[in-house]
Amino acid sequence: MRNEIILYINGERHALHGEQAFMPVGDYLRYIKGLTGTKIVCAEGDCGACTVLQARVIGDSFSPYISVNSCISRMYLLDKCHLITVEGLGKSIDMHPVQEVFVDQHGAQCGYCTPGFICAMAGMANDLKANGKEKTPQKIKNYLTGNLCRCTGYEPIIKAGMELNLNKVEKLSLLYNDEKILSELIELKGDVEVKFLDQHVYLPDDLQKAVAFRKENENAKLVSGATDLGVVANKGKLILNEVLSLNNIDSAYEIKETEGGFEIGAKASLDLCEKKLEKDFPEFSSMLHIFASPQIKNIGTLIGNLVNASPIADTVPFLMVANVDINLIGPSAERTISINKFFKGNYKELDIAKDEIVKSVFISKTDHAYKLYKVSIRRDLDISSVTFAARYKMSQGKMTEINLAFGGVGPIVLRMPELEADLMSASFDSTLIKSIVKKIPSLLTPLSDHRGSKEFRTQICQNLLFRFFDEVSGSAEASV
Amino acid sequence: MIGKNLKHDAATTHVTGESVFIDDREALGSEVHIGLVTSPVANGNLLAIHSKDALAHANCLGVWTASDIKDNNWGAVVHEQPILVKDKIGYMDEVICLFATDKREKIEEIKKLFSFDIDELKPVLTIPEAKEAEGFIYKVAKPFIKGDFNAVFKQAEHKLSGTFICGGQEHFYMESQAAVAYPMEDGQVEVHSSSQHPSETQRVVAQALGVPFHKVVCIVKRMGGGFGGKESQAAPIAAYAAIVSRALNCPARVILTKDEDMKITGKRHPFENDYEVSFDNTGKITALKVLLQADGGAYTDLSASILERGLFHIENAYYLETCHIDGVVYRTNNHSNTAYRGFGGPQGAMTIESILEDIAQTLKLDSYEVRLRNIYRGEKQTTPYGQVFENNMLPPLFEGLFSSSDYEKRKIAIDCFNAKKNGKVRGISMSATKFGIAFTARFLNQANALVNLHLDGTLQVSTGATEMGQGVNSKIAQIVAWNLGIDYLDVKVMTTSTEKNHNTSPTAASSGSDINGAAALSASNKIKSRLTSLAKLHFSGAISNDLIEHEITKGELDADIVFKNNKVIQLSSKKEILFTELVNMAYFNRVSLGGYAHYKTPSLGFSKNSVEGKAFNYFTQGTAVTEVELCEYTGEVKVLRADIFMDLGRPINPGIDRGQVTGAYVQAMGWVTSENLFYSDKGSLISHSPTTYKIPSIQDTPRVFNVDFITNDDNHCNVVRSKAVGEPPFLLGISAWTAVKNAISYRSKTKLVNITSPATNETVLNELTRVKNV
């Protein structure tokens, strides 16, 4: 059992015992190491000023560098990682090519969001280079969705990205001697446990140990990417004293593709889902495209989004209509349960025992068609007002199969059995849709809040059903 | 040098993370952190503060309340806003007391240990409620009146009336309010503040501590964004740091979290403007009457001037023959609203842009035609406040953009697109800006500058301007470098500090480069004059040695002596000397190489009691066309394209100015589309972080974004014939909102489109639904 967190920052080795192991990453960088280029603005992973680059040793190699929000992460989550901060990319006397184009194109004004943008764009350059891809304005935007800037209007930043000469960009793994770093980190086997006063974190190297720990420590919070719990803790609404993390379980990061479908591991990131499911579930993949920011998707997991059990969790309506299986592991046995039974009906109530962990989710490949819609105040990087998911089969102008789910209009994501039956009851035409749409208000219990009034949410659900009809039927005349 | 696209003076340190902001300063010795404890109600009387539990916490080093402050009231204009609540609570989350801790991470924990006895009262939260309660902060002294509104209106063929309503806006500067104070010997204090107004911060700190002004130095290296939010409201934050540092005799730091900052500090004023307008068959406005009504929040702050700027911009780019413009600021139990880029101007201008859109819809005309019929023509027309509008660039700006943006063709394409009905509807609109440059309080139009010329030929320039990303330092450096014929990088604009430049005005009203640049030019001219006279002596063959010294005190500029390419040249004789050589000669002849100058913007003066005089030095003008697409199922707004055409005189740095234009446009686009301040019915701000308050992201920026400047060499009334750029393009973002109105009008058979701002998806969907129901 190791009792310290070991990581590298800008090529330098750090071994953390005690208090420092529990610090938010941004605070450690700024206040302990004096790396004040990394800025903390929102402390909730929504603005990107704290963005740094991270590579993790999984198995016997480093995963590719990803951009992450250092404000919500904790040092214990970075065991066996290499972090590169803005200071690690270049200095004024020896700038990184991304830094140079930012200077030339006036990509920085006040300078506060700039280090985060620099890291995110350096990550982009590294990715594009590794995958032999060219940059386009849209691609640049996609990599920078998680970085807010209040000064420039972004136009100079997009220009900077377009001016970047990828040939001049060195691989991030070559900036410092990653090979040498890997040779040390790869040798770190076994469990890690760190304690400081009333704080305690355990990082097992297999799921069985995790389950055993969970049985002994019922109050321990299971923290994965900390994209939600890190925020809640930062805002003083949760004390993360006892933590169990699956970060050192290499097998949990996988998405296994079989003929029948995909088994998505507990640590598989949303970004990986977006990429791996693109071919078979293009609708889901493009919904993930406007889900959160790259920084969040790089570290947040599909299973985290699922077990968080929020009624506005963006992936849940899809998972429900896809009727995925949830694989749970407990101290004595494993079991599988359909997602539609996993949610028990009340707010955040799941069919999971205190000593159980969601090991994976299985999505079957089928020949159904999907439609997924997300409505939010801002299209990208915003929490939904309403989500809609439909999986269906049509035959001769009639729905032969349909699963429907709405998010954001009740205490949990709602399946709509009554509407599903109605939709299959007659030929799929505008008369049918209009009669069904009329029923919607009586089936929903939305709240009024800053993301929309209940009347608005109700109307959106009605309109999304119209939109579903228009798109499926290809009607020229929009119903709204 | 002038007109060159040079890099921002801090660009290199910004991109490498080496730039130092307040919280990047290393903690010194026993430095403490300050926590703020705020009001849980929006209105009430504070009866008691219970801090015993907090004081018992191992990491709590002390608690301070209003009674610990010598002069607890501050206010940029009216001395009425408490630094800490004494008895009357003005708004939700108003700061009641402070505590200090040696551990930053304990702040949230300690905060929870406070409780208060409060006699809670019903809060006044909206303009209609304030109107009913007759809670005024300020009423306009005299309305702007031209002609006889009633007479014209009565006989008019077409009339419209209504209320234009726009919401407030959070500044969302990335660096939240921050300050750190260091106690110095002899009762002095040095405050580093993220402030647009170091002189005001110095004054408020001194008064709070009860020490003379000369014992306080306020230093501003830079801000991580300001946008007006740090013009007045940085001062009490700095006072918190000073009070604690003084009491504990150690450095004290206060860094607001984003959530705290958004809840505590004021925002752009929401307005509800009642109007009546008449117009002829061609769409020309014949008479306009507007009563501007602003929500000032709990305290006066800068609300009176903000309302007035709303009045000053009510006609925007359009000539009014007959008008009656009046205004009032109400007192409510909201955070005290404050300066924000445009300073009331956008809320005024948007009213008439909305009206023009309505006129176009009423008469079934294109809104561009209607606008073109209404813009100022020629050089002799007067504004509603009696100023002759000179250097009118509006006709070429409108016509130029009309053709460069391909308006006509795109309008036809939009007609076709919308006829298809595929769940989407598009709209297009051109709007304008004609922004008055000058503080409307005349005394603020002054600045001073200090220039130190060193023996290697490099310069340090200090002014009262504060750098918040807008590039004022770069522009000042360019002006001085150009004036002395030396390299840009040989001029360094130094940290702003009240011990070098005092009685300065806030870096606000877009005037930073104008007045501080002019002062720096004048200060550098003092040195240049001496060097010119010295050069003449030198070129004439005069000798100086141990016995004879070149005597120069004031010197005089001379067109025959030019400073160019690091040399000083006599044109008539073609003789030249290296700039550094001349500088050294000056030093050894004991000629001063320092320059200090004061500048005031000439011939300004406006009386609000009689509505006469010259309110503005000049006007920065521009036009923008925006095309939007709305989703008819969800009301979502997408900005497809924006084209901007601006008159910036002779831009000092076109690269920096371009960034100001794109930044201002997108910021305004956010204001009128997605930035929705949402409060509970108790007056608590619910949208207090980026998770809930949505400023534009990189995906929202217009998909096609063209920016161009018109040539204008005639702005002789400003330094190097440039024009101010900070606020004017903000008003161009209004075209995104008028384009939304235009888009909705395509789905209306009879009803006039009537939306508020911001045009969130809910607002848009509701209006689409309303206009479709015949």
Side-chain angles (χ1 to χ4, degrees):
Chain A
M1 182 87 72
R2 177 153 53 92
N3 299 111
E4 57 185 10
I5 301 295
I6 294 176
L7 73 151
Y8 277 75
I9 301 174
N10 300 332
E12 188 186 302
R13 187 177 189 272
H14 294 244
L16 308 183
H17 318 263
E19 190 176 11
Q20 291 180 352
F22 294 89
M23 292 184 79
V25 177
D27 288 0
Y28 178 81
L29 293 174
R30 289 177 54 78
Y31 307 129
I32 304 295
K33 301 318 291 180
L35 295 169
T36 51
T38 301
K39 306 294 185 224
I40 307 298
V41 175
C42 68
E44 58 187 25
D46 222 271
C47 75
C50 66
T51 303
V52 296
L53 295 158
Q54 172 191 314
R56 173 185 295 282
V57 173
I58 300 173
D60 54 5
S61 62
F62 263 121
S63 66
Y65 277 90
I66 50 172
S67 60
V68 299
N69 295 123
S70 65
C71 69
I72 48 179
S73 188
R74 296 297 187 270
M75 291 311 290
Y76 55 72
L77 296 175
L78 300 188
D79 192 48
K80 297 201 279 182
C81 287
H82 187 196
L83 221 57
I84 297 179
T85 70
V86 68
E87 293 91 346
L89 286 171
K91 308 245 181 298
S92 1
I93 39 162
D94 179 22
M95 286 193 282
H96 186 276
V98 166
Q99 292 168 324
E100 281 169 358
V101 290
F102 255 68
V103 170
D104 294 344
Q105 298 301 323
H106 295 280
Q109 282 187 26
C110 85
Y112 217 75
C113 71
T114 312
F117 270 99
I118 296 291
C119 285
M121 197 182 277
M124 171 194 89
N126 195 56
D127 261 17
L128 293 180
K129 225 180 139 124
N131 302 321
K133 284 188 182 156
E134 280 306 308
K135 54 196 180 344
T136 63
Q138 190 52 49
K139 235 175 243 164
I140 292 165
K141 290 181 193 176
N142 294 347
Y143 274 95
L144 302 178
T145 306
N147 294 78
L148 294 177
C149 167
R150 192 55 151 169
C151 292
T152 62
Y154 304 102
E155 194 253 11
I157 293 171
I158 298 166
K159 240 173 143 184
M162 288 308 289
E163 288 297 315
L164 179 66
N165 181 352
L166 287 175
N167 295 325
K168 278 175 68 187
V169 179
E170 202 173 11
K171 276 189 195 162
L172 287 171
S173 57
L174 296 177
L175 278 186
Y176 299 92
N177 196 342
D178 274 11
E179 223 168 288
K180 187 157 170 281
I181 295 171
L182 178 67
S183 67
E184 183 201 339
L185 296 181
I186 210 169
E187 293 305 319
L188 299 172
K189 309 276 187 210
D191 304 351
V192 183
E193 187 164 33
V194 185
K195 289 181 179 173
F196 175 73
L197 301 179
D198 54 352
Q199 299 189 91
H200 177 197
V201 63
Y202 177 55
L203 297 133
D205 62 353
D206 78 44
L207 271 175
Q208 281 302 339
K209 289 182 192 167
V211 171
F213 180 85
R214 202 155 166 79
K215 194 173 169 63
E216 296 301 312
N217 301 272
E218 280 202 345
N219 295 324
K221 283 274 177 201
L222 187 54
V223 179
S224 186
T227 56
D228 187 45
L229 295 182
V231 178
V232 184
N234 279 358
K235 305 275 161 157
K237 288 176 185 155
L238 169 76
I239 297 171
L240 275 178
N241 271 348
E242 273 207 83
V243 171
L244 167 65
S245 170
L246 310 183
N247 276 14
N248 285 8
I249 302 175
D250 292 345
S251 61
Y253 287 87
E254 279 178 320
I255 295 181
K256 279 184 221 144
E257 185 175 359
T258 60
E259 247 177 61
F262 295 90
E263 187 177 357
I264 298 168
K267 281 292 303 172
S269 71
L270 290 157
D271 179 67
L272 190 65
C273 293
E274 185 180 335
K275 289 184 180 128
K276 281 252 175 164
L277 300 183
E278 194 176 0
K279 211 177 115 258
D280 292 279
F281 298 92
E283 286 272 351
F284 183 53
S285 191
S286 44
M287 207 272 288
L288 284 177
H289 185 68
I290 55 166
F291 175 105
S293 67
Q295 287 90 326
I296 295 293
K297 279 187 287 194
N298 284 336
I299 213 95
T301 59
L302 181 75
I303 289 180
N305 197 240
L306 171 74
V307 294
N308 189 291
S310 163
I312 46 175
D314 283 341
T315 63
V316 174
F318 164 74
L319 298 175
M320 276 191 167
V321 298
N323 212 1
V324 300
D325 283 328
I326 317 282
N327 299 317
L328 295 141
I329 176 166
S332 49
E334 295 193 20
R335 68 186 174 104
T336 298
I337 178 174
S338 157
I339 186 170
N340 289 299
K341 292 196 175 124
F342 187 59
F343 284 91
K344 288 168 77 175
N346 295 319
Y347 179 69
K348 292 213 170 190
E349 195 191 339
L350 300 175
D351 182 358
I352 183 168
K354 277 193 170 169
D355 54 7
E356 278 183 319
I357 288 174
V358 176
K359 182 187 173 188
S360 62
V361 163
F362 187 82
I363 306 181
S364 303
K365 292 181 190 169
T366 62
D367 56 355
H368 293 93
Y370 284 89
K371 289 284 177 195
L372 307 173
Y373 307 133
K374 166 180 172 161
V375 180
S376 49
I377 291 175
R378 193 174 64 197
R379 187 171 159 270
D380 299 84
L381 181 52
D382 194 1
I383 292 168
S384 313
S385 312
V386 172
T387 48
F388 168 97
R391 184 180 83 158
Y392 61 96
K393 271 187 191 172
M394 291 263 296
S395 171
Q396 297 174 339
K398 210 176 153 187
M399 282 281 162
T400 52
E401 251 185 77
I402 183 157
N403 291 347
L404 270 185
F406 285 105
V409 289
I412 63 163
V413 174
L414 300 172
R415 278 289 299 273
M416 294 280 155
E418 190 182 334
L419 296 187
E420 289 165 5
D422 288 349
L423 279 165
M424 291 184 287
S425 66
S427 71
F428 191 62
D429 57 22
S430 64
T431 327
L432 177 72
I433 282 295
K434 278 179 185 152
S435 73
I436 290 173
V437 158
K438 277 197 197 118
K439 287 189 175 175
I440 283 186
S442 66
L443 297 171
L444 307 176
T445 52
L447 295 171
S448 284
D449 68 9
H450 52 280
R451 297 197 177 94
S453 67
K454 60 179 187 219
E455 294 79 14
F456 172 66
R457 286 190 154 110
T458 306
Q459 194 186 348
I460 288 286
C461 290
Q462 294 177 308
N463 285 356
L464 290 181
L465 209 57
F466 279 131
R467 178 174 168 188
F468 173 68
F469 170 76
D470 290 346
E471 288 184 7
V472 171
S473 66
S475 88
E477 219 35 28
S479 311
V480 287
Chain B
M1 184 67 60
I2 301 296
K4 263 200 180 163
N5 181 11
L6 298 168
K7 65 171 192 174
H8 188 285
D9 79 320
T12 316
T13 52
H14 282 352
V15 301
T16 52
E18 292 164 24
S19 295
V20 178
F21 296 83
I22 298 289
D23 198 29
D24 300 339
R25 299 178 66 81
E26 207 167 330
L28 284 184
S30 52
E31 187 173 300
V32 297
H33 293 276
I34 298 171
L36 311 179
V37 195
T38 60
S39 171
V41 305
N43 190 12
N45 294 306
L46 178 66
L47 307 174
I49 299 171
H50 303 294
S51 54
K52 231 168 84 189
D53 293 351
L55 282 164
H57 190 286
N59 298 110
C60 180
L61 306 174
V63 172
W64 292 266
T65 66
S67 59
D68 298 306
I69 301 175
K70 278 284 183 315
D71 183 350
N72 189 42
N73 284 336
W74 71 282
V77 182
V78 185
H79 206 68
E80 63 162 11
Q81 178 159 4
I83 292 174
L84 295 173
V85 173
K86 188 157 179 289
D87 36 42
K88 183 93 188 68
I89 292 166
Y91 65 95
M92 181 73 81
D93 294 308
E94 188 172 9
V95 184
I96 292 180
C97 60
L98 316 171
F99 64 88
T101 174
D102 53 346
K103 281 196 179 287
R104 185 195 291 252
E105 63 274 19
K106 296 287 179 191
I107 288 178
E108 287 305 315
E109 193 177 309
I110 297 169
K111 223 184 256 182
K112 293 193 178 101
L113 301 174
F114 287 85
S115 64
F116 308 110
D117 292 343
I118 294 169
D119 175 18
E120 192 177 348
L121 302 168
K122 190 178 181 312
V124 174
L125 298 170
T126 63
I127 290 173
E129 282 170 29
K131 203 169 180 175
E132 203 181 302
E134 294 185 9
F136 300 109
I137 282 179
Y138 177 77
K139 284 185 186 177
V140 166
K142 190 179 175 209
F144 296 172
I145 296 170
K146 264 175 104 180
D148 184 346
F149 173 82
N150 286 332
V152 178
F153 188 76
K154 218 161 94 188
Q155 295 179 356
E157 198 173 340
H158 301 282
K159 296 174 194 184
L160 286 172
S161 64
T163 304
F164 165 77
I165 297 174
C166 62
Q169 184 179 24
E170 161 61 33
H171 300 83
F172 211 89
Y173 30 68
M174 297 302 281
E175 181 197 30
S176 296
Q177 303 272 2
V180 54
Y182 303 95
M184 313 293 271
E185 62 188 52
D186 192 27
Q188 297 174 67
V189 58
E190 183 177 299
V191 182
H192 292 250
S193 167
S194 183
S195 167
Q196 289 174 247
H197 198 351
S199 290
E200 167 89 354
T201 301
Q202 175 201 21
R203 282 194 286 273
V204 171
V205 165
Q207 288 165 349
L209 294 176
V211 302
F213 293 1
H214 73 288
K215 291 213 170 182
V216 178
V217 177
C218 176
I219 297 173
V220 179
K221 175 64 190 167
R222 60 167 59 86
M223 281 160 275
F227 314 117
K230 295 169 181 170
E231 179 173 348
S232 64
Q233 301 203 353
I237 308 291
Y240 299 153
I243 289 157
V244 173
S245 90
R246 193 65 182 294
L248 296 178
N249 199 31
C250 67
R253 181 179 300 220
V254 56
I255 308 291
L256 269 62
T257 64
K258 187 46 76 192
D259 299 67
E260 284 178 319
D261 190 298
M262 289 182 72
K263 288 179 187 172
I264 294 169
T265 66
K267 319 207 177 301
R268 182 184 297 284
H269 289 62
F271 272 66
E272 298 192 12
N273 302 334
D274 297 336
Y275 63 84
E276 291 175 287
V277 64
S278 63
F279 47 97
D280 67 18
N281 276 328
T282 70
K284 190 161 174 51
I285 293 175
T286 52
L288 177 68
K289 183 175 186 178
V290 184
L291 173 66
L292 291 95
Q293 306 176 105
D295 175 355
Y299 304 102
T300 302
D301 199 90
L302 299 162
S303 294
S305 303
I306 288 163
L307 172 72
E308 277 157 11
R309 193 166 276 267
L311 266 76
F312 280 121
H313 288 81
I314 193 72
E315 98 287 11
N316 199 21
Y318 313 99
Y319 175 66
L320 297 177
E321 184 89 39
T322 304
C323 63
H324 182 116
I325 315 298
D326 203 353
V328 55
V329 183
Y330 293 104
R331 194 183 294 277
T332 64
N333 293 110
N334 293 316
H335 40 64
S336 188
N337 288 324
T338 189
Y340 191 149
R341 202 175 202 169
F343 207 73
Q347 297 97 314
M350 198 164 164
T351 312
I352 197 161
E353 294 291 0
S354 176
I355 288 170
L356 288 162
E357 213 62 46
D358 293 346
I359 292 173
Q361 198 195 346
T362 305
L363 298 175
K364 298 190 166 52
L365 294 171
D366 183 74
S367 68
Y368 170 75
E369 277 174 54
V370 171
R371 284 187 171 86
L372 205 59
R373 251 164 230 151
N374 282 286
I375 59 170
Y376 279 95
R377 297 283 177 178
E379 298 282 314
K380 290 191 180 130
Q381 291 182 323
T382 57
T383 63
Y385 45 93
Q387 179 165 350
V388 176
F389 175 45
E390 293 166 324
N391 199 216
N392 179 7
M393 300 297 287
L394 292 168
L397 284 167
F398 267 89
E399 284 151 14
L401 189 64
F402 180 79
S403 67
S404 71
S405 69
D406 226 356
Y407 184 97
E408 224 170 350
K409 255 194 181 157
R410 285 164 62 202
K411 182 86 192 169
I412 294 166
I414 288 168
D415 290 345
C416 295
F417 180 89
N418 290 343
K420 276 191 208 132
K421 293 204 175 175
N422 59 358
K424 289 176 184 147
V425 61
R426 290 182 178 171
I428 190 168
S429 179
M430 188 186 299
S431 78
T433 183
K434 174 189 117 300
F435 200 78
I437 304 301
F439 289 97
T440 52
R442 184 181 59 193
F443 70 91
L444 291 174
N445 297 287
Q446 58 177 318
N448 60 70
L450 177 67
V451 177
N452 298 338
L453 173 51
H454 295 280
L455 294 186
D456 63 351
T458 62
L459 285 109
Q460 293 174 323
V461 179
S462 304
T463 74
T466 53
E467 176 63 50
M468 57 196 109
Q470 84 280 40
V472 66
N473 285 356
S474 311
K475 289 186 180 180
I476 291 172
Q478 279 178 267
I479 291 168
V480 172
W482 162 77
N483 191 35
L484 296 176
I486 58 175
D487 294 343
Y488 172 59
L489 293 178
D490 284 340
V491 181
K492 191 98 201 136
V493 175
M494 305 303 289
T495 302
T496 313
S497 162
T498 55
E499 66 183 334
K500 290 180 292 178
N501 304 97
H502 68 311
N503 299 339
T504 53
S505 296
T507 307
S510 309
S511 70
S513 305
D514 284 19
I515 58 174
N516 294 289
L521 179 66
S522 172
S524 66
N525 266 336
K526 296 210 167 155
I527 302 173
K528 191 180 180 182
S529 301
R530 294 185 210 111
L531 290 178
T532 299
S533 297
L534 181 65
K536 274 162 77 177
L537 275 177
H538 169 70
F539 293 140
S540 73
I543 302 279
S544 75
N545 55 36
D546 289 349
L547 298 173
I548 310 163
E549 191 174 47
H550 292 318
E551 286 285 346
I552 292 159
T553 45
K554 243 183 122 190
E556 203 181 341
L557 295 177
D558 186 332
D560 191 32
I561 304 288
V562 295
F563 288 62
K564 214 166 105 180
N565 301 331
N566 301 307
K567 285 178 197 157
V568 180
I569 304 156
Q570 188 164 42
L571 294 176
S572 54
S573 70
K574 297 205 169 74
K575 286 180 182 168
E576 57 177 51
I577 182 172
L578 284 176
F579 180 70
T580 44
E581 214 175 306
L582 187 63
V583 168
N584 277 274
M585 188 185 292
Y587 175 72
F588 285 106
N589 281 280
R590 296 188 293 174
V591 174
S592 164
L593 292 170
Y596 176 85
H598 177 263
Y599 172 80
K600 62 174 195 171
T601 313
S603 55
L604 286 177
F606 179 80
S607 163
K608 40 182 154 176
N609 294 318
S610 57
V611 189
E612 61 182 337
K614 188 179 173 190
F616 300 111
N617 189 25
Y618 62 91
F619 296 87
T620 297
Q621 300 152 56
T623 46
V625 181
T626 302
E627 182 176 347
V628 299
E629 181 179 285
L630 314 181
C631 173
E632 293 186 73
Y633 301 103
T634 64
E636 284 165 312
V637 178
K638 199 193 268 187
V639 175
L640 299 177
R641 174 170 167 180
D643 295 67
I644 293 175
F645 198 26
M646 279 211 78
D647 162 33
L648 297 178
R650 298 204 301 200
I652 296 170
N653 185 323
I656 284 176
D657 283 356
R658 193 187 157 90
Q660 286 296 297
V661 173
T662 54
Y665 175 90
V666 170
Q667 206 173 77
M669 187 193 88
W671 175 49
V672 301
T673 57
S674 61
E675 293 183 35
N676 192 22
L677 290 164
F678 189 85
Y679 300 85
S680 75
D681 54 8
K682 296 222 170 227
S684 179
L685 180 66
I686 307 293
S687 50
H688 55 70
S689 76
T691 308
T692 44
Y693 184 76
K694 293 310 194 189
I695 70 167
S697 85
I698 199 166
Q699 303 280 4
D700 300 313
T701 214
R703 277 68 177 166
V704 180
F705 205 173
N706 299 313
V707 176
D708 200 6
F709 303 141
I710 200 168
T711 309
N712 176 7
D713 281 339
D714 296 330
N715 197 38
H716 294 276
C717 57
N718 192 35
V719 64
V720 297
R721 296 191 224 172
S722 65
K723 282 194 172 190
V725 67
E727 294 162 292
F730 185 93
L731 281 73
L732 296 177
I734 291 168
S735 58
W737 185 82
T738 47
V740 170
K741 282 189 85 158
N742 176 250
I744 297 172
S745 74
Y746 276 93
R747 294 293 182 252
S748 170
K749 291 211 170 65
T750 52
K751 290 176 186 160
L752 202 56
V753 177
N754 182 12
I755 55 169
T756 54
S757 172
T760 61
N761 43 5
E762 181 161 2
T763 303
V764 169
L765 188 63
N766 283 343
E767 186 62 3
L768 277 169
T769 310
R770 188 186 73 89
V771 298
K772 282 176 188 175
N773 284 330
V774 187

